[in-house]
Amino acid sequence: MEYLSEKLNNNQEKAVKTTEGYVRVIAGPGSGKTMTIACRYAYMVNELGISPSNILCLTFTNKAAREMKDRIEKYIGKGKTGDFICTFHSFCLKFLREEIYRMNLAKNFTIMDNDDELSILKEIYPELKITATEKKYKASILEISEAKQNYPDYVYYFDDKEQKKPTYWSRVFSAFVTRQRKYNILSFDDLIYFTLHILNNHTGVIEKWSDRISYVMVDETQDNNKKQWAIANKLSEINKNLFVVGDPDQSIYGWRGAKTEFLIDFDIYHTPCTNIVLNDNYRSLKCILDTSNSLIKNNVNRIDKEMLSHRNEEEKKVIWHHASCSSDESSWICKKIESLKNNGDRFKDIAILYRNSYSSRNIEQSLIKSKIPYIVYGGIRFFERAEIKDILAYLRMIEENDDFSFLRIINTPKRGLGNAFVNKLKERALYDNRSLYDTLYDNLYSPEFDKKGARSFCKLINESRKMKELFSISDIMEYLIDESGIRQTLKENGDEERMENLKELVLSAKLYEEEHSDENISLSIYLQDIALYTNLDYKKDGDNISIMTIHQSKGLEFKNVFIYDLTDGILPSWRSIREGGILATEEERRIMYVAMTRAKDNLFLTDSLGYNQSFGTDKMPSRFIFETKKYCISDESIPFDKNQIKYDINYSSKIIEHEISQVFEKGSKVNHPMFGNGRILDVTEYGYYVIEFPNFGKRKINFNFKGLQLVEMIEYYSNIQNYKIIP
């Protein structure tokens, strides 16, 4: 063991050598968790003679599984790890290849991808007399996934050939499951559900697999859902050798079903249990740990631990920059990056993190202006996202009438104008030597091109062109998003992220108009300026800044980290809090904690003043900043009164409480002092109502407007709970 002991502290060594029974390891960020698991595996193989084929090591992602396997092979030799270092889904696939016959399916079953799901729906829709217009395919796929979660007894339909389908199944779900059984295909969800069903309901299976697997090790257990926990428990039921590693403070996947309580209460339901805490941090400076510790201690649902730094370099301070506006915030970041670069850091040593992907727009524009190379880790650059390119193509069509833009948007969203239609139009345009749009418009009522979708498209373009002289660029954008059908399509498909991106694009246009308010800005000039941010060349493997969402940063580390757009309502997310109350507030705080603990040497927190267009309120710094403020110093910020900032945070909290407690329901009849009585059509997650007034049409009214009065409640749709902000 000498070759390992030199690398381990006392708690790590205890985790490695405690091989029998139930073991829970609480491993904080930067505590050497992966190395500890790898050493434990190697110790069992090299020192105790346990066969790798008897050890199951479960990880959360394929990337983590590969990294774990590589680390272990350094200790025990290449190719000696066996097949059981894998994700839950990968293990379940191996399991079902042997056991699926118990479910009356062949072992050569196929795993469905998105295209397979779509193909099945296209097959069953005509049988059910459903059209894609009536019910979007994406909506059905979501419905099927939710049905499998809510009705796990669907698995019995496969287990028993005579099993009748329950009457409470929807028509789509019933037909879909029937096709699954007929075609011998499973979804990724099915891998988990079928495995657990077989383990629970078929005699001899537990004994068989317990004889094969003597030890179960589970990494990142705070991210496991109920069914994954159940599989791990079932596989260790006989041998009772279950080793779990995780950190409740880093649980940020509640929306995926992750449950921190399984890890927190592990020692209650698994006795006797050895508890070990890895609280020695080898990643971050003390100032970063002190700041992150002070934040996470505000959570109640956790296991208390104090992360201790093992780095003795010259101490620094966490920097908080409070900017006057969003453009100043991003400009300050770029200047700080240039300073870090001049002091010897590489761009690849720097990461910019944000809560939501739409937040990338402003910082991307500043990076481009400053000629700082960057990549969007695990994502797409803002101006390269499909929905953004679609709207910009509409604008170019209005201004420039170019064929490239025409081809992008003629059938976006779907208008029934397929390839055959477009090819005929191309031929005619080539013959007439005219643009595609002009050719279509001039031949709109000819038998060849007389289609409803073509007429609506031409009307949209012509009406938009009329608006150029009278309306702002942002108004034209809003009109296009609504009247083209893009907003409705995204809403029906549940593409909330894309809808947020479009909101951010509109906001960027409004800011552009404000910045050039004393100039005669035309649509042509705007498109010329925006072209700066599109179709850029960059080297993906070069020396680039990494920008990403906080969720994407999980498991990564960087020398220098900026946490950007720390605005209350964004982090923490008001939408998450509105839906989940206190528990959601704690998860939002964990998201912040994960972001902070990615930093090794320098941590920068930034926010800005201004007006939040999405929420209809003045921007406030995230309350999380003030939970850590005694460990931070302000640097080059705009002047501010600390007492006023404290008041502002209290005010922000009161705003949230007011919005949540006073929100009216969808369907309510309300009275407005100017517009009169109206019906609430939608209660958005962005802080406003959509209200239909008979004499004024649709209006967006902010939640914090106190002039609305309830007339009568028509329907009860939501389940919004009151809550109090933890001070």
Side-chain angles (χ1 to χ4, degrees):
M1 188 62 186
E2 291 182 359
Y3 70 100
L4 294 175
S5 61
E6 294 179 357
K7 302 177 182 179
L8 304 174
N9 62 40
N10 290 337
N11 286 342
Q12 289 172 334
E13 186 169 348
K14 183 179 179 182
V16 167
K17 292 184 176 181
T18 308
T19 61
E20 307 302 307
Y22 296 119
V23 184
R24 179 182 67 179
V25 178
I26 303 301
S31 61
K33 167 181 68 68
T34 302
M35 183 189 69
T36 302
I37 297 172
C39 288
R40 186 177 195 266
Y41 192 109
Y43 176 78
M44 295 168 70
V45 173
N46 291 342
E47 307 298 325
L48 304 182
I50 297 169
S51 171
S53 62
N54 297 137
I55 306 172
L56 174 61
C57 185
L58 295 168
T59 65
F60 191 61
T61 65
N62 288 318
K63 179 175 178 288
R66 289 193 299 271
E67 291 175 352
M68 184 67 70
K69 188 172 182 177
D70 291 341
R71 185 74 68 96
I72 292 171
E73 286 184 340
K74 290 181 180 178
Y75 297 140
I76 69 172
K78 194 78 171 174
K80 295 183 178 180
T81 57
D83 297 326
F84 287 153
I85 301 175
C86 52
T87 64
F88 273 92
H89 285 92
S90 181
F91 169 76
C92 290
L93 179 59
K94 293 180 175 69
F95 175 91
L96 291 174
R97 291 297 184 199
E98 290 190 34
E99 307 295 344
I100 196 67
Y101 72 92
R102 302 175 188 271
M103 304 290 293
N104 299 299
L105 293 172
K107 67 178 182 179
N108 63 340
F109 61 86
T110 302
I111 305 297
M112 284 189 292
D113 58 21
N114 292 335
D115 290 339
D116 295 327
E117 292 177 324
L118 186 61
S119 295
I120 293 176
L121 289 174
K122 288 181 177 179
E123 183 179 329
I124 65 178
Y125 265 36
E127 297 178 8
L128 301 176
K129 297 182 179 178
I130 300 174
T131 67
T133 304
E134 296 170 332
K135 190 178 185 68
K136 300 293 182 181
Y137 293 124
K138 191 169 182 177
S140 287
I141 290 171
L142 181 62
E143 174 191 306
I144 292 163
S145 179
E146 290 178 344
K148 288 182 177 182
Q149 294 180 41
N150 297 330
Y151 308 118
D153 58 351
Y154 83 95
V155 178
Y156 286 93
Y157 178 62
F158 292 82
D159 201 356
D160 183 357
K161 289 183 177 180
E162 303 302 320
Q163 179 77 25
K164 294 182 179 180
K165 291 175 289 193
T167 56
Y168 56 79
W169 284 5
S170 72
R171 292 195 301 151
V172 172
F173 182 56
S174 177
F176 191 90
V177 171
T178 299
R179 287 300 193 286
Q180 277 195 254
R181 194 165 79 168
K182 177 182 177 182
Y183 297 145
N184 199 48
I185 53 178
L186 301 181
S187 68
F188 282 100
D189 288 339
D190 295 330
L191 296 178
I192 301 292
Y193 301 151
F194 278 46
T195 296
L196 187 57
H197 175 84
I198 293 173
L199 288 171
N200 283 330
N201 294 282
H202 289 266
T203 57
V205 178
I206 288 291
E207 290 78 8
K208 171 186 173 181
W209 284 86
S210 295
D211 186 59
R212 183 180 300 182
I213 298 172
S214 304
Y215 299 88
V216 179
M217 301 166 61
V218 186
D219 188 19
E220 300 286 7
T221 47
Q222 77 279 346
D223 296 327
N224 293 336
N225 60 35
K226 184 177 180 180
K227 289 182 173 59
Q228 290 168 329
W229 271 101
I231 289 173
N233 281 319
K234 209 68 184 175
L235 291 170
S236 57
E237 186 176 86
I238 294 177
N239 295 316
K240 301 186 185 306
N241 292 322
L242 178 58
F243 177 87
V244 298
V245 185
D247 183 9
D249 291 339
Q250 297 185 74
S251 178
I252 60 175
Y253 294 108
W255 51 278
R256 289 183 182 173
K259 302 290 185 182
T260 58
E261 55 264 34
F262 293 128
L263 182 58
I264 293 172
D265 298 334
F266 182 85
D267 57 344
I268 298 175
Y269 300 102
H270 299 80
T271 56
C273 178
T274 302
N275 290 302
I276 303 168
V277 178
L278 304 184
N279 62 341
D280 293 296
N281 181 287
Y282 299 90
R283 175 187 298 161
S284 306
L285 290 178
K286 184 176 182 297
C287 64
I288 296 172
L289 292 183
D290 288 344
T291 308
S292 56
N293 285 336
S294 68
L295 171 79
I296 203 63
K297 282 183 176 180
N298 289 278
N299 273 4
V300 175
N301 190 35
R302 62 187 297 265
I303 295 174
D304 191 35
K305 64 181 185 306
E306 187 83 12
M307 297 304 298
L308 305 172
S309 178
H310 274 250
R311 294 185 56 193
N312 299 316
E313 294 95 328
E314 180 182 354
E315 194 54 43
K316 302 179 180 180
K317 285 285 189 178
V318 173
I319 303 298
W320 168 39
H321 181 73
H322 181 60
S324 60
C325 62
S326 57
S327 60
D328 286 347
E329 180 185 359
S330 57
S331 295
W332 182 87
I333 291 175
C334 290
K335 291 176 182 177
K336 190 62 67 174
I337 288 172
E338 290 169 349
S339 176
L340 292 169
K341 179 71 171 175
N342 292 334
N343 288 332
D345 286 339
R346 301 168 300 176
F347 287 136
K348 64 175 59 178
D349 296 325
I350 304 169
I352 303 172
L353 313 181
Y354 36 79
R355 175 65 174 85
N356 300 309
S357 60
Y358 64 80
S359 294
S360 76
R361 192 274 308 168
N362 194 56
I363 189 64
E364 283 191 57
Q365 288 188 255
S366 290
L367 290 169
I368 293 168
K369 285 181 179 178
S370 302
K371 297 182 179 180
I372 297 174
Y374 73 95
I375 58 171
V376 180
Y377 185 91
I380 303 172
R381 291 184 170 211
F382 183 85
F383 288 99
E384 293 176 3
R385 294 167 191 170
E387 61 278 10
I388 303 301
K389 294 176 76 172
D390 290 340
I391 296 303
L392 293 179
Y394 270 106
L395 292 176
R396 284 195 299 271
M397 260 305 303
I398 295 168
E399 182 64 28
E400 302 168 6
N401 198 23
D402 69 296
D403 287 351
F404 182 78
S405 298
F406 178 93
L407 291 172
R408 180 175 185 90
I409 62 174
I410 180 61
N411 208 35
T412 303
K414 299 293 185 183
R415 298 187 177 91
L417 307 176
N419 290 334
F421 179 90
V422 172
N423 288 335
K424 287 181 183 178
L425 185 63
K426 285 180 179 178
E427 291 176 4
R428 184 61 179 266
L430 182 64
Y431 181 81
D432 294 343
N433 194 25
R434 304 193 70 192
S435 71
L436 291 171
Y437 179 80
D438 289 341
T439 303
L440 177 62
Y441 187 77
D442 290 344
N443 296 276
L444 197 55
Y445 296 98
S446 68
E448 205 173 14
F449 302 111
D450 186 9
K451 290 188 176 289
K452 181 180 178 181
R455 293 195 300 273
S456 67
F457 176 75
C458 289
K459 181 182 178 182
L460 175 66
I461 298 300
N462 286 343
E463 291 297 324
S464 301
R465 286 174 174 173
K466 293 176 184 177
M467 297 175 66
K468 283 200 306 178
E469 304 302 323
L470 301 173
F471 292 87
S472 67
I473 298 166
S474 58
D475 286 336
I476 297 172
M477 279 186 183
E478 290 269 28
Y479 177 80
L480 288 168
I481 293 170
D482 283 329
E483 298 304 318
S484 67
I486 288 177
R487 189 191 304 275
Q488 183 63 27
T489 299
L490 293 178
K491 188 173 182 178
E492 290 174 353
N493 290 338
D495 288 329
E496 294 183 4
E497 186 173 318
R498 292 187 172 185
M499 291 173 67
E500 290 288 355
N501 288 338
L502 289 177
K503 281 187 176 183
E504 184 62 25
L505 179 65
V506 174
L507 175 60
S508 72
K510 290 179 180 178
L511 294 174
Y512 179 88
E513 291 159 352
E514 290 174 5
E515 292 171 1
H516 300 83
S517 57
D518 56 345
E519 305 172 35
N520 186 21
I521 297 296
S522 65
L523 180 57
S524 177
I525 294 173
Y526 171 78
L527 289 171
Q528 289 176 29
D529 288 349
I530 211 71
L532 172 68
Y533 309 112
T534 60
N535 301 317
L536 293 171
D537 294 324
Y538 63 99
K539 296 180 179 179
K540 291 185 178 181
D541 299 325
D543 187 22
N544 302 299
I545 299 284
S546 294
I547 69 173
M548 68 191 77
T549 65
I550 298 171
H551 284 84
Q552 291 165 335
S553 75
K554 184 92 179 297
L556 303 177
E557 60 182 35
F558 299 89
K559 189 176 180 181
N560 310 287
V561 170
F562 294 84
I563 307 178
Y564 170 73
D565 202 13
L566 280 173
T567 302
D568 217 71
I570 295 177
L571 183 62
S573 164
W574 288 1
R575 180 173 63 186
S576 296
I577 292 174
R578 183 177 294 120
E579 294 173 354
I582 291 295
L583 291 179
T585 303
E586 293 209 347
E587 177 151 322
E588 290 294 304
R589 189 176 285 109
R590 292 195 294 268
I591 291 171
M592 178 72 171
Y593 178 75
V594 166
M596 297 171 75
T597 54
R598 299 310 94 196
K600 297 165 68 175
D601 291 7
N602 293 294
L603 176 62
F604 306 94
L605 314 177
T606 71
D607 80 293
S608 62
L609 293 175
Y611 189 74
N612 193 316
Q613 298 283 348
S614 295
F615 302 109
T617 61
D618 290 331
K619 292 171 67 177
M620 299 288 180
S622 169
R623 71 198 69 173
F624 296 154
I625 294 175
F626 292 86
E627 294 177 354
T628 65
K629 64 181 179 179
K630 67 179 181 180
Y631 296 99
C632 301
I633 62 171
S634 177
D635 181 64
E636 302 176 34
S637 297
I638 61 170
F640 65 91
D641 184 340
K642 290 184 177 180
N643 294 325
Q644 182 62 40
I645 292 292
K646 183 179 180 181
Y647 169 78
D648 284 344
I649 287 299
N650 291 334
Y651 175 72
S652 176
S653 299
K654 290 177 181 178
I655 287 280
I656 297 169
E657 290 178 2
H658 168 74
E659 290 178 356
I660 294 175
S661 62
Q662 298 298 317
V663 69
F664 299 119
E665 314 293 348
K666 182 177 179 180
S668 298
K669 189 176 181 180
V670 294
N671 179 268
H672 188 279
M674 177 176 287
F675 304 135
N677 288 349
R679 188 83 65 200
I680 296 179
L681 303 180
D682 194 15
V683 181
T684 75
E685 62 267 40
Y686 311 113
Y688 63 83
Y689 307 105
V690 179
I691 306 177
E692 179 77 45
F693 296 99
N695 297 324
F696 295 92
K698 295 179 185 178
R699 291 287 189 273
K700 296 177 182 178
I701 306 297
N702 290 329
F703 285 171
N704 59 347
F705 177 68
K706 298 180 180 180
L708 279 184
Q709 299 293 323
L710 182 67
V711 178
E712 62 176 316
M713 181 63 68
I714 305 300
E715 294 183 49
Y716 183 81
Y717 281 90
S718 60
N719 186 27
I720 300 173
Q721 299 178 343
N722 294 329
Y723 74 99
K724 298 293 182 182
I725 304 295
I726 300 176

